[in-house]
Amino acid sequence: MIVVLKQNPNREQLDSLIAWLQDKGITIHTSLGAAHTILGLVGDTSALDIDLIAALDIVEDVKRVQEPYKNANRKFHPEDTVVKVGSTQIGGGTLTIMAGPCSVESEEQVVAIAKAVKASGATMLRGGAFKPRTSPYSFQGLGATGLAYLKAAKEETGLPIVTELMDLSQLPLFKDVDVIQIGARNMQNFDLLKAVGRQEKPVMIKRGMSATYEEWLMSAEYVMAGGNENVILCERGIRTFEHLTRNTLDLQAIPVMKRLTHLPIIIDPSHAGGKNWLVDPMAQAAVAAGADGLQIEVHNDPARALCDGPQSLRPDAFDALAQKLLKLHECIRSING
Amino acid sequence: MIVVLKQNPNREQLDSLIAWLQDKGITIHTSLGAAHTILGLVGDTSALDIDLIAALDIVEDVKRVQEPYKNANRKFHPEDTVVKVGSTQIGGGTLTIMAGPCSVESEEQVVAIAKAVKASGATMLRGGAFKPRTSPYSFQGLGATGLAYLKAAKEETGLPIVTELMDLSQLPLFKDVDVIQIGARNMQNFDLLKAVGRQEKPVMIKRGMSATYEEWLMSAEYVMAGGNENVILCERGIRTFEHLTRNTLDLQAIPVMKRLTHLPIIIDPSHAGGKNWLVDPMAQAAVAAGADGLQIEVHNDPARALCDGPQSLRPDAFDALAQKLLKLHECIRSING
Amino acid sequence: MIVVLKQNPNREQLDSLIAWLQDKGITIHTSLGAAHTILGLVGDTSALDIDLIAALDIVEDVKRVQEPYKNANRKFHPEDTVVKVGSTQIGGGTLTIMAGPCSVESEEQVVAIAKAVKASGATMLRGGAFKPRTSPYSFQGLGATGLAYLKAAKEETGLPIVTELMDLSQLPLFKDVDVIQIGARNMQNFDLLKAVGRQEKPVMIKRGMSATYEEWLMSAEYVMAGGNENVILCERGIRTFEHLTRNTLDLQAIPVMKRLTHLPIIIDPSHAGGKNWLVDPMAQAAVAAGADGLQIEVHNDPARALCDGPQSLRPDAFDALAQKLLKLHECIRSING
Amino acid sequence: MIVVLKQNPNREQLDSLIAWLQDKGITIHTSLGAAHTILGLVGDTSALDIDLIAALDIVEDVKRVQEPYKNANRKFHPEDTVVKVGSTQIGGGTLTIMAGPCSVESEEQVVAIAKAVKASGATMLRGGAFKPRTSPYSFQGLGATGLAYLKAAKEETGLPIVTELMDLSQLPLFKDVDVIQIGARNMQNFDLLKAVGRQEKPVMIKRGMSATYEEWLMSAEYVMAGGNENVILCERGIRTFEHLTRNTLDLQAIPVMKRLTHLPIIIDPSHAGGKNWLVDPMAQAAVAAGADGLQIEVHNDPARALCDGPQSLRPDAFDALAQKLLKLHECIRSING
């Protein structure tokens, strides 16, 4: 941590700051310049509250040098995390394809889609039972009944289930779920993060619409600090000034996350752009950029979907895309060695 | 609602769309142009799912004409809502000043600050007992104990309390709280919104860091749809590309909200900029723009604050500011008649 | 164009608006609803000033249905534009690789890099002679001398040159340049756009840091309206809240532009992220998403580059990347048919 | 400047970096930590290229401590700059009100508006002769003829003129103009900035739509580095995710600029929000936040304005606003002492 002092700092306050820091086992290197004095703090600065120091009258600025996340930090955990999910795995060079409807609507619907996407090569079934909707007047999902339909589809196809948990009170209902999804709007619902950190199922954290990389990793850190190391990241588009697309898909997130953390990263091209004609090219781009997998919305009748229709693919379009993605993944692995 | 059709739409699909709409009691006006055909839908379109229509093959675009919020809409409720809180009120031409520490740290601290801010003219006490912190390693608030300290301060001063609820499981602890605050990170925690909509205490909803005006109002609509009409809005800065300040305070939100809704609006200049030297000018600007009140962080020893230190004022600075704000509010009312 | 009227519009003003529109040859379809009256304007609305109509007292909102760009619009020009540059071409299924230094520093430097990148498969030489620098104290480019060095490199290698024009007064110096680049900061320098529209060399327009897709296309329209149809688009990252990377590369721009316009699109992964380790994965992603080419910074000694060092590749890293991109382009073409 | 080294930096490269820095007269303080080594560079680091150092293999990060602007920096010029314009002045506790039409349309129009706004208390006349328009098909301004009309209005009323310069080739036409305005889209047109820096008229620089405070000040620095110290800043709204308003007016810019620089700052509430009902409350807020003045669009017939109609006030509405602003300025000065 680096503390930049104001010009001519009050000597007494400076001595008091230095004493307080030394008391915490921090070693201080002082660089006296004409315009600024800089303190280089060496030692375990993770316990220091940066805001507290920044609030001092004599301090102009505080700059952190160390990342604030530990469990999620690749520096302290250089090997890739591979998350086991049923008979499949996420990370470690595989390409996970999670596919399914935005909302679970009926058992027939979800079983039919599950069979179709499995035949096309999907390795996991996605589907929403609890749905975060902007409007209280929109369909809010089938809830527990939706989870039962997902379970039926899992029994029929063997595909593990990933579905969203919106509130910690719903957790007891998730016992047949394989991966708990934390939605973008709940990425900083810290009580929810703590709750899923205290249980054992893998957790996939969608990036908040305006979350920085660091905030996203801090949300992963909340789960990991609770003891659950099976965390998966999912980029689903960030909010920008551009409104022709619903959100801007940030594929730089893939190499950035590969560098900062050991956790696997999934891309959701369906929600990002909000248009089904964007799914195919962006899914290919995600694979080329090194994503560990994709989450894709598939609907057997998009025109009648109860939510998020414009971004869903029909099973035949998904099938064509899945074949491309599998070939491209082959190609990317062979090219990048 | 306006539906823009693609060029040369499939006749059969168009007939089917028109029949489906008419079946829902919608009247359709068709404008045939060279490049586009436009359907003007007249009637109660609030029950129509815009995404569903947009997903149709023959549709190029759907544009909504009516606002998706009803209870919060000034069109259907032209008079200003005034929220009664204890012996005070929010809205209706008054200037509410909510002041207090970011975090409740001890009974002594919060009682001392409550006395000080009351003497300076504050009309409500703010203070965090449950704290949303980006890092799992930061101080998370005193929880129930913090609520007890706030209650003690309320008993001592008579100031009503506003404090943040982070999870619906904490609701039973809030019986002595006067206004329930929903934090920016929980603005779209829909289960939480539903829960506070089913109880009677006033609810203050902070704008999410990247929430549009409409999304913010839809969150108010969630609470109101549950039966609780005592909703207060609070602007606390939005996330932009500018990082010298923590967030960008959007004061246009004041006249925009006065136009779109009848709900009162409070400004939080402390969290917005994240720097204590921004609080004074921005609080004055908020009053001049017509805000119904302010939420300001005050700490008796900012250098030792456990969180959010850089943005807190000391009681003497708050006192000076409060005197200015009361005079300015007078002046603004006399100028604007 | 759709005009949404306020409730109970003044009858006289409405008649006057309708008469004025009819006078311009516009047919008007009126949809009378309980809450709103909607006018559907049919005919050539491109000459109507949307702001003028929106300013009327009786108007609540105006929504455009037609795109404001014509020459650049794929609807009126369905086939892809292919831009011929020397013996090469941009668009039409080819993969253009523009490579070279951020700044031209010496004849030796640029000739050496030109030879190296040509050997690796680059098809055009990029290099800055006039440099837009945020600080007046930073190196501003070699100007005319830099152009001479580029010309020498072109003579030596046969690679066509793409370089930035910053002011229309510099245009006479550009006679040996093959493609004129308009930088992101000048994307809405309309006098400059008009000037390059009146000459014949192809123009590559970098997207402004906060330009919407439509604004970007309107800048292309400025050039095309002047008579020059050889316009190339280049996405180089947009400004968002995320600051770990310099900008956020928006790869959705590729399918969006392919849909809206017939113009080719190039991706610049070097400037977007501002870090050389992002170039390789994002260049691959761009090819997979269907880009017509890439612009990549290559430097023979990045540590001594006079500008933009952190994002440049050394020739050996560029060579490895170029080989991957050529294979990937093959693969993508074979997969996507 | 602070250089954070990677773990276990190559010793030879480190020695070479240290030698190179010492050669430039920089003193280096080294802080060896377990995880990072930090170099504190003391001396005149303004000549060091931060990107060059950041590009080195052994460097993880470089953090600047000193601001990159000098002439504009309040640290080196603590007193407020007051810009003299004819018989008026900008800054120094005065409230400058610049008012007039978006576009100059006719001599009658601009003379009539000039008389009206002068009578209401405006101290400068604004009006566009060269107009930056997103579309090549929109009205582009009257150019030299427009400047002549502005001159006529100045002769009639004595109001000094502020108008936009779009290209340096237009500069010779500006001899009767009092303040040269650089538009938001040209804020980083560096050749234009250099040109106005080499002449003597005051220059008002509008903040670019996505320009950071620092970039804005660097544009001021370009002008000042050329020898022209009479620079005025103008905030006109920044681009954010919110699209109900045209842009988000950033009033925090006022206290931030007052702290970072000695230059006066003007607020343009007309362009920021793009709606005339936002002008009144935001103008009042700007005065309360300490702005040195306002730029407000006034039109004698908004419904027929050739551009930017929705944001213009009619003379009577402007008159009412101007009276409020003058009273509020009085009040703010008396409150803030």
Side-chain angles (χ1 to χ4, degrees), chain D residues 147-175:
Chain D
L147 291 178
Y149 295 162
L150 284 170
K151 186 183 171 189
K154 174 183 173 176
E155 282 166 0
E156 194 85 29
T157 60
L159 290 179
I161 300 167
V162 52
T163 193
E164 180 166 352
L165 175 72
M166 282 180 63
D167 188 80
L168 54 88
S169 62
Q170 298 151 358
L171 197 48
L173 300 169
F174 274 57
K175 68 174 188 298

Tab-separated table of all heavy atoms in Angstrom, chain D residues 147-175:
chain	number	residue	atom	x	y	z
D	147	LEU	N	-21.903	34.566	-38.385
D	147	LEU	CA	-20.995	35.400	-37.580
D	147	LEU	C	-21.321	36.883	-37.774
D	147	LEU	O	-21.273	37.671	-36.831
D	147	LEU	CB	-19.535	35.120	-37.956
D	147	LEU	CG	-18.985	33.733	-37.569
D	147	LEU	CD1	-17.537	33.583	-38.050
D	147	LEU	CD2	-19.057	33.514	-36.058
D	148	ALA	N	-21.659	37.262	-39.034
D	148	ALA	CA	-22.013	38.666	-39.309
D	148	ALA	C	-23.275	39.065	-38.546
D	148	ALA	O	-23.360	40.176	-38.000
D	148	ALA	CB	-22.209	38.862	-40.811
D	149	TYR	N	-24.235	38.163	-38.477
D	149	TYR	CA	-25.465	38.471	-37.730
D	149	TYR	C	-25.160	38.628	-36.234
D	149	TYR	O	-25.709	39.507	-35.561
D	149	TYR	CB	-26.514	37.376	-37.931
D	149	TYR	CG	-27.021	37.240	-39.347
D	149	TYR	CD1	-27.685	36.079	-39.751
D	149	TYR	CD2	-26.851	38.264	-40.296
D	149	TYR	CE1	-28.171	35.933	-41.045
D	149	TYR	CE2	-27.331	38.110	-41.599
D	149	TYR	CZ	-27.989	36.954	-41.971
D	149	TYR	OH	-28.453	36.801	-43.247
D	150	LEU	N	-24.297	37.774	-35.731
D	150	LEU	CA	-23.911	37.887	-34.320
D	150	LEU	C	-23.250	39.235	-34.056
D	150	LEU	O	-23.489	39.885	-33.043
D	150	LEU	CB	-22.943	36.748	-33.936
D	150	LEU	CG	-23.585	35.377	-33.725
D	150	LEU	CD1	-22.511	34.305	-33.605
D	150	LEU	CD2	-24.454	35.359	-32.455
D	151	LYS	N	-22.386	39.657	-35.031
D	151	LYS	CA	-21.705	40.948	-34.888
D	151	LYS	C	-22.738	42.082	-34.843
D	151	LYS	O	-22.624	43.009	-34.023
D	151	LYS	CB	-20.751	41.146	-36.069
D	151	LYS	CG	-19.882	42.373	-35.948
D	151	LYS	CD	-19.023	42.550	-37.192
D	151	LYS	CE	-18.321	43.900	-37.167
D	151	LYS	NZ	-17.664	44.181	-38.460
D	152	ALA	N	-23.744	41.991	-35.690
D	152	ALA	CA	-24.800	43.005	-35.692
D	152	ALA	C	-25.503	43.066	-34.334
D	152	ALA	O	-25.766	44.141	-33.785
D	152	ALA	CB	-25.813	42.704	-36.799
D	153	ALA	N	-25.759	41.889	-33.772
D	153	ALA	CA	-26.423	41.838	-32.469
D	153	ALA	C	-25.524	42.412	-31.378
D	153	ALA	O	-25.984	43.070	-30.446
D	153	ALA	CB	-26.819	40.396	-32.142
D	154	LYS	N	-24.248	42.175	-31.510
D	154	LYS	CA	-23.286	42.720	-30.540
D	154	LYS	C	-23.259	44.241	-30.636
D	154	LYS	O	-23.263	44.949	-29.627
D	154	LYS	CB	-21.903	42.127	-30.836
D	154	LYS	CG	-20.747	42.683	-30.014
D	154	LYS	CD	-19.434	42.040	-30.477
D	154	LYS	CE	-18.210	42.650	-29.847
D	154	LYS	NZ	-16.982	41.928	-30.263
D	155	GLU	N	-23.249	44.756	-31.870
D	155	GLU	CA	-23.233	46.203	-32.041
D	155	GLU	C	-24.498	46.841	-31.471
D	155	GLU	O	-24.460	47.909	-30.866
D	155	GLU	CB	-23.072	46.557	-33.525
D	155	GLU	CG	-21.615	46.393	-33.957
D	155	GLU	CD	-21.414	46.397	-35.467
D	155	GLU	OE1	-22.425	46.534	-36.198
D	155	GLU	OE2	-20.265	46.231	-35.919
D	156	GLU	N	-25.587	46.143	-31.639
D	156	GLU	CA	-26.879	46.665	-31.164
D	156	GLU	C	-26.976	46.662	-29.635
D	156	GLU	O	-27.568	47.563	-29.039
D	156	GLU	CB	-27.985	45.766	-31.745
D	156	GLU	CG	-29.385	46.305	-31.658
D	156	GLU	CD	-29.708	47.228	-32.827
D	156	GLU	OE1	-29.111	47.030	-33.931
D	156	GLU	OE2	-30.530	48.116	-32.649
D	157	THR	N	-26.397	45.630	-29.010
D	157	THR	CA	-26.628	45.446	-27.567
D	157	THR	C	-25.387	45.625	-26.699
D	157	THR	O	-25.503	45.772	-25.484
D	157	THR	CB	-27.128	44.006	-27.293
D	157	THR	OG1	-26.112	43.094	-27.765
D	157	THR	CG2	-28.431	43.718	-28.002
D	158	GLY	N	-24.226	45.559	-27.314
D	158	GLY	CA	-23.013	45.629	-26.508
D	158	GLY	C	-22.629	44.311	-25.866
D	158	GLY	O	-21.600	44.203	-25.202
D	159	LEU	N	-23.440	43.265	-26.062
D	159	LEU	CA	-23.111	41.962	-25.457
D	159	LEU	C	-21.945	41.311	-26.184
D	159	LEU	O	-21.977	41.178	-27.412
D	159	LEU	CB	-24.319	41.014	-25.524
D	159	LEU	CG	-25.525	41.310	-24.649
D	159	LEU	CD1	-26.615	40.259	-24.903
D	159	LEU	CD2	-25.142	41.320	-23.171
D	160	PRO	N	-20.929	40.887	-25.463
D	160	PRO	CA	-19.850	40.138	-26.128
D	160	PRO	C	-20.380	38.793	-26.635
D	160	PRO	O	-21.366	38.266	-26.109
D	160	PRO	CB	-18.803	39.937	-25.031
D	160	PRO	CG	-19.342	40.519	-23.776
D	160	PRO	CD	-20.710	41.060	-24.022
D	161	ILE	N	-19.690	38.261	-27.641
D	161	ILE	CA	-20.152	37.036	-28.324
D	161	ILE	C	-19.304	35.827	-27.943
D	161	ILE	O	-18.076	35.911	-27.925
D	161	ILE	CB	-20.025	37.211	-29.860
D	161	ILE	CG1	-20.861	38.389	-30.348
D	161	ILE	CG2	-20.414	35.933	-30.592
D	161	ILE	CD1	-20.519	38.790	-31.785
D	162	VAL	N	-19.974	34.706	-27.680
D	162	VAL	CA	-19.269	33.423	-27.582
D	162	VAL	C	-19.882	32.505	-28.635
D	162	VAL	O	-21.104	32.362	-28.718
D	162	VAL	CB	-19.371	32.807	-26.161
D	162	VAL	CG1	-20.801	32.712	-25.649
D	162	VAL	CG2	-18.693	31.449	-26.121
D	163	THR	N	-19.026	31.916	-29.472
D	163	THR	CA	-19.540	31.036	-30.537
D	163	THR	C	-18.496	29.975	-30.876
D	163	THR	O	-17.305	30.147	-30.603
D	163	THR	CB	-19.977	31.864	-31.767
D	163	THR	OG1	-20.732	31.019	-32.648
D	163	THR	CG2	-18.785	32.420	-32.531
D	164	GLU	N	-18.981	28.881	-31.452
D	164	GLU	CA	-18.118	27.711	-31.641
D	164	GLU	C	-17.258	27.777	-32.900
D	164	GLU	O	-17.747	28.086	-33.983
D	164	GLU	CB	-18.981	26.437	-31.675
D	164	GLU	CG	-18.147	25.180	-31.880
D	164	GLU	CD	-18.868	23.889	-31.594
D	164	GLU	OE1	-20.003	23.929	-31.079
D	164	GLU	OE2	-18.288	22.820	-31.895
D	165	LEU	N	-15.993	27.404	-32.698
D	165	LEU	CA	-15.042	27.237	-33.807
D	165	LEU	C	-14.916	25.740	-34.059
D	165	LEU	O	-14.578	24.983	-33.146
D	165	LEU	CB	-13.681	27.812	-33.384
D	165	LEU	CG	-12.514	27.622	-34.360
D	165	LEU	CD1	-12.685	28.510	-35.591
D	165	LEU	CD2	-11.189	27.909	-33.681
D	166	MET	N	-15.197	25.295	-35.278
D	166	MET	CA	-15.164	23.858	-35.536
D	166	MET	C	-13.884	23.386	-36.218
D	166	MET	O	-13.506	22.223	-36.108
D	166	MET	CB	-16.364	23.441	-36.394
D	166	MET	CG	-17.647	23.348	-35.582
D	166	MET	SD	-19.029	22.856	-36.623
D	166	MET	CE	-18.546	21.217	-37.167
D	167	ASP	N	-13.246	24.302	-36.969
D	167	ASP	CA	-12.029	23.897	-37.669
D	167	ASP	C	-11.075	25.080	-37.708
D	167	ASP	O	-11.516	26.238	-37.827
D	167	ASP	CB	-12.361	23.438	-39.090
D	167	ASP	CG	-11.150	22.838	-39.774
D	167	ASP	OD1	-10.851	21.665	-39.505
D	167	ASP	OD2	-10.473	23.564	-40.528
D	168	LEU	N	-9.802	24.810	-37.639
D	168	LEU	CA	-8.858	25.928	-37.533
D	168	LEU	C	-8.861	26.810	-38.780
D	168	LEU	O	-8.477	27.989	-38.712
D	168	LEU	CB	-7.454	25.450	-37.142
D	168	LEU	CG	-6.772	24.378	-37.967
D	168	LEU	CD1	-6.013	25.023	-39.116
D	168	LEU	CD2	-5.783	23.618	-37.077
D	169	SER	N	-9.339	26.273	-39.903
D	169	SER	CA	-9.428	27.093	-41.119
D	169	SER	C	-10.441	28.231	-40.965
D	169	SER	O	-10.403	29.210	-41.714
D	169	SER	CB	-9.817	26.213	-42.319
D	169	SER	OG	-11.094	25.648	-42.097
D	170	GLN	N	-11.351	28.117	-39.991
D	170	GLN	CA	-12.367	29.166	-39.790
D	170	GLN	C	-11.862	30.308	-38.908
D	170	GLN	O	-12.538	31.346	-38.768
D	170	GLN	CB	-13.629	28.558	-39.132
D	170	GLN	CG	-14.301	27.488	-39.971
D	170	GLN	CD	-15.041	26.443	-39.143
D	170	GLN	OE1	-15.033	26.474	-37.914
D	170	GLN	NE2	-15.669	25.491	-39.818
D	171	LEU	N	-10.713	30.132	-38.295
D	171	LEU	CA	-10.218	31.101	-37.309
D	171	LEU	C	-10.170	32.547	-37.822
D	171	LEU	O	-10.575	33.477	-37.099
D	171	LEU	CB	-8.859	30.628	-36.776
D	171	LEU	CG	-8.332	31.228	-35.482
D	171	LEU	CD1	-9.365	31.235	-34.370
D	171	LEU	CD2	-7.095	30.445	-35.031
D	172	PRO	N	-9.711	32.782	-39.072
D	172	PRO	CA	-9.652	34.174	-39.550
D	172	PRO	C	-11.015	34.880	-39.528
D	172	PRO	O	-11.073	36.105	-39.445
D	172	PRO	CB	-9.142	34.031	-40.989
D	172	PRO	CG	-8.398	32.743	-41.007
D	172	PRO	CD	-9.121	31.842	-40.046
D	173	LEU	N	-12.091	34.114	-39.582
D	173	LEU	CA	-13.432	34.722	-39.568
D	173	LEU	C	-13.867	35.171	-38.176
D	173	LEU	O	-14.886	35.828	-38.019
D	173	LEU	CB	-14.469	33.706	-40.084
D	173	LEU	CG	-14.279	33.173	-41.503
D	173	LEU	CD1	-15.215	31.999	-41.754
D	173	LEU	CD2	-14.528	34.285	-42.519
D	174	PHE	N	-13.088	34.807	-37.154
D	174	PHE	CA	-13.553	35.007	-35.776
D	174	PHE	C	-13.095	36.310	-35.147
D	174	PHE	O	-13.137	36.454	-33.929
D	174	PHE	CB	-13.120	33.810	-34.911
D	174	PHE	CG	-14.092	32.651	-34.957
D	174	PHE	CD1	-14.427	32.056	-36.177
D	174	PHE	CD2	-14.706	32.162	-33.809
D	174	PHE	CE1	-15.328	30.998	-36.237
D	174	PHE	CE2	-15.608	31.107	-33.859
D	174	PHE	CZ	-15.919	30.532	-35.076
D	175	LYS	N	-12.718	37.319	-35.985
D	175	LYS	CA	-12.097	38.474	-35.324
D	175	LYS	C	-13.054	39.301	-34.474
D	175	LYS	O	-12.615	39.971	-33.541
D	175	LYS	CB	-11.307	39.335	-36.330
D	175	LYS	CG	-12.101	40.071	-37.355
D	175	LYS	CD	-11.115	40.978	-38.147
D	175	LYS	CE	-11.914	41.883	-39.060
D	175	LYS	NZ	-12.714	41.142	-40.074
